[in-house]
Amino acid sequence: MKAILDRAAAFLFALVAANCFAVQAIEEGAANAPEPTVSVVWVIVFLLVFVGICAWIGIAIWRNERKNRVADQQNGRSS
């Protein structure tokens, strides 16, 4: 039981030490980070255009499949 408690205490100590190093590294990194080169607005615009193009392609495929299905049914072929 004592060994388990010793290992748990050592693990907690290691977590606290790692947390201290991580916080220090984050603070140093934040101080040395360059200014953003792209505005957030342009990122949002890109994402909206990207999603719009993906939706447009999906709708085009769906319409084409529906048109082909109707044409196949009119020609007497069934899938």
Side-chain angles (χ1 to χ4, degrees), residues 68-79:
N68 287 342
R69 194 176 327 121
V70 170
D72 286 345
Q73 288 175 352
Q74 288 176 351
N75 291 336
R77 291 182 259 163
S78 62
S79 46

Side-chain angles (χ1 to χ4, degrees), residues 30-48:
N32 297 331
E35 291 295 319
T37 57
V38 178
S39 174
V40 176
V41 174
W42 288 112
V43 173
I44 293 171
V45 167
F46 171 78
L47 289 175
L48 289 175

Side-chain angles (χ1 to χ4, degrees), residues 52-66:
I53 289 172
C54 290
W56 175 67
I57 290 171
I59 290 170
I61 291 172
W62 176 70
R63 284 183 177 175
N64 193 27
E65 290 291 326
R66 187 177 59 175

Side-chain angles (χ1 to χ4, degrees), residues 15-33:
L15 284 179
V16 169
N19 186 32
C20 291
F21 287 126
V23 168
Q24 182 181 5
I26 290 171
E27 289 173 353
E28 288 177 8
N32 297 331

